[in-house]
Amino acid sequence: MKYFDLIMAVALVFTGVVTPYEVIFMKTVGPDQWLFWISRFVDSIFLFDVTLQFFLKVEVSKSGTYGTVLIKERREIRKLYLRTWFPVDLVGIAPFDIVFLFVEGSQAFSGIKILRCLRLFRLIKLVRILRSSRLILRWQTHFAISFATQKLVKFSFTMMLASHWMACLWGLVGLTWGATLCDEDGKQIEMEVPLEDVSWITTLFGGGKTSPDSPCDPWHVYMASLHWAV
């Protein structure tokens, strides 16, 4: 299990870091791009983990005492999993990416901002991060790490992930409430932005300033978002 836990940890990091960046800053990732297939591979890892949870022994707290009980009976394991983590895991493996590919092809959803708002449903996959609590509990019993070191590692990782999510949120605000500065080919549009469509992105990239950065490059927009969000 320790090797699979390591694979799950990598998949969780991928979900927490790549998914918000992809949803907010990138265009739709289709089957002709490598990121699409990496995401499907990560989905398959979580799907396998859901299946595995129906067979793994579970250690639970014993009512009225400070001890724990190891549940070994398959029927009890399944009942406990269905009552606790299964609903969260089921939402986490929902194929929102596949559904969105069909939605994007519909003529009813043709606006860039409408599509970006619909893509936010894919962020529901972030509930997968809740699985990290189970991994941490298992790891704490296998590694002899001081309590202070554990707290430092948790704090550092939480700060970095929170900064990343804040940057993605700040980017979402600028991209959703501001005018679109790029055409379908990824070229910047030279235009005078109406007052009602002004955002921090239109001010930064279209305010008459000379800059090598482009509002059509997701990485440039993300780095600007990270700078202003932190």
Side-chain angles (χ1 to χ4, degrees), residues 60-217:
V60 297
S61 300
K62 189 175 181 180
S63 179
T65 66
Y66 293 101
T68 58
V69 177
L70 186 64
I71 300 178
K72 300 179 180 180
E73 189 177 345
R74 294 267 178 95
R75 184 179 178 183
E76 293 299 321
I77 292 173
R78 293 166 186 168
K79 287 172 59 178
L80 179 63
Y81 180 54
L82 289 172
R83 291 198 311 265
T84 54
W85 283 101
F86 179 73
V88 176
D89 292 344
L90 184 63
V91 172
I93 62 174
F96 292 104
D97 294 5
I98 307 298
V99 173
F100 184 77
L101 287 177
F102 293 99
V103 171
E104 189 186 35
S106 174
Q107 296 296 326
F109 305 100
S110 57
I112 294 178
K113 292 185 179 180
I114 294 178
L115 290 174
R116 182 173 287 117
C117 291
L118 290 175
R119 291 176 68 183
L120 294 179
F121 284 103
R122 294 169 56 194
L123 293 178
I124 296 177
K125 291 195 300 183
L126 293 179
V127 299
R128 295 173 177 176
I129 303 298
L130 297 176
R131 295 174 180 233
S132 61
S133 61
R134 285 179 279 181
L135 292 179
I136 292 173
L137 286 175
R138 284 203 293 263
W139 289 353
Q140 284 178 340
T141 60
H142 290 288
F143 297 99
I145 303 176
S146 66
F147 182 77
T149 302
Q150 292 181 28
K151 285 295 183 180
L152 180 61
V153 171
K154 290 179 183 178
F155 175 77
S156 300
F157 182 78
T158 302
M159 286 296 295
M160 289 188 290
L161 188 61
S163 299
H164 175 65
W165 285 359
M166 284 296 296
C168 292
L169 178 61
W170 190 237
L172 174 65
V173 171
L175 291 170
T176 303
W177 275 271
T180 302
L181 299 179
C182 305
D183 58 20
E184 292 295 329
D185 298 325
K187 302 292 183 62
Q188 185 172 352
I189 304 173
E190 299 295 337
M191 58 180 290
E192 186 174 345
V193 180
L195 185 61
E196 61 271 15
D197 290 332
V198 171
S199 71
W200 73 267
I201 289 182
T202 61
T203 303
L204 179 64
F205 293 102
K209 299 179 181 179
T210 302
S211 172
D213 296 336
S214 170
C216 306
D217 188 323

Side-chain angles (χ1 to χ4, degrees), residues 49-66:
D49 180 66
V50 170
T51 306
L52 197 62
Q53 297 302 317
F54 286 99
F55 303 96
L56 290 179
K57 299 174 184 177
V58 183
E59 189 175 358
V60 297
S61 300
K62 189 175 181 180
S63 179
T65 66
Y66 293 101

